Amino acid sequence: MGFDLDMTLADTRAGIAAVYDELAVRLGVPFDSAAIVSRLGPPLEVELANWLPSAEVPAAADLYREIYPEMGVPVHTAMAGAHEAIEAVRGAGGGVIVVTGKNVRDARGTVKVLGLDVDEVVGSVFGADKGSALARFGAAAYVGDHVADIKAARAGGAVSVTVATGPYTVGELRDHGADVALGDLTEFAAWFAGWREHDALR
């Protein structure tokens, strides 16, 4: 079973906002961290391009990643139902992989801080680019909060399971083609138990 990280397993809004606020001070750029954390999902460089000339994005991204482990990771929290969702998969004998747009170092740091019991972390991939990792792991389903995670599941040959804990509602996720749309991960275990009756884990 594959899971996205930001706003699926981990509430990273406070940490990311803190890093952007610090970046604003260092660079003298008025980042709106509240707006930024309301639309998490796309790669860092895509967001920075909304605020900076393209030539300045790489250096700003490097500085962001320098700040992140100390200022961002420690204040991340687990999303409601995250541990229980992983335990449901584990209890059925399944494996768990995190596939995220966050870089591997900070993704692993977040997983460690939150005590998430996962087998593997794949980072720096977004949208359909996540598909190769899901296919390599043999993920039967991929759980995410963004419409790009639906594309990821499709690309990896997995069932698209979505949670409305990111920028999209349950209805919007369904409209974008999600196979399953849940309010949040607290609904995952019940869905998973029913799904397993018809689809064996692989």
Side-chain angles (χ1 to χ4, degrees):
M1 181 73 63
F3 287 88
D4 176 47
L5 186 60
D6 291 44
M7 301 311 298
T8 299
L9 289 174
D11 188 340
T12 55
R13 290 173 295 186
I16 290 173
V19 176
Y20 270 105
D21 290 343
E22 178 65 16
L23 204 62
V25 172
R26 297 197 190 188
L27 298 180
V29 176
F31 295 109
D32 185 343
S33 59
I36 291 170
V37 299
S38 73
R39 55 179 183 240
L40 297 178
L44 170 62
E45 287 80 2
V46 172
E47 181 60 54
L48 288 172
N50 293 325
W51 307 92
L52 297 166
S54 58
E56 297 178 17
V57 167
D62 287 345
L63 181 56
Y64 177 101
R65 293 186 176 109
E66 178 185 324
I67 298 168
Y68 199 95
E70 182 177 349
M71 187 167 286
V73 172
V75 295
H76 293 336
T77 57
M79 295 295 287
H83 289 282
E84 292 81 0
I86 292 173
E87 288 168 5
V89 177
R90 290 286 190 206
V96 177
I97 182 174
V98 168
V99 185
T100 175
K102 193 182 295 300
N103 69 81
V104 173
R105 179 201 63 194
D106 294 335
R108 286 177 175 164
T110 300
V111 164
K112 182 177 180 180
V113 163
L114 300 184
L116 301 173
D117 182 17
V118 307
D119 297 296
E120 186 177 345
V121 175
V122 178
S124 299
V125 285
F126 180 68
D129 289 341
K130 294 181 176 182
S132 60
L134 295 172
R136 185 172 73 249
F137 185 76
Y142 182 61
V143 186
D145 66 285
H146 199 279
V147 294
D149 295 324
I150 301 170
K151 296 178 181 178
R154 295 281 176 268
V159 172
S160 170
V161 181
T162 54
V163 285
T165 47
Y168 300 94
T169 65
V170 165
E172 288 169 336
L173 292 166
R174 286 178 179 147
D175 289 344
H176 278 88
D179 296 312
V180 180
L182 307 174
D184 58 34
L185 282 181
T186 63
E187 300 174 15
F188 177 87
W191 166 79
F192 180 72
W195 179 65
R196 284 187 58 242
E197 295 178 3
H198 305 285
D199 299 84
L201 282 174
R202 63 177 192 266

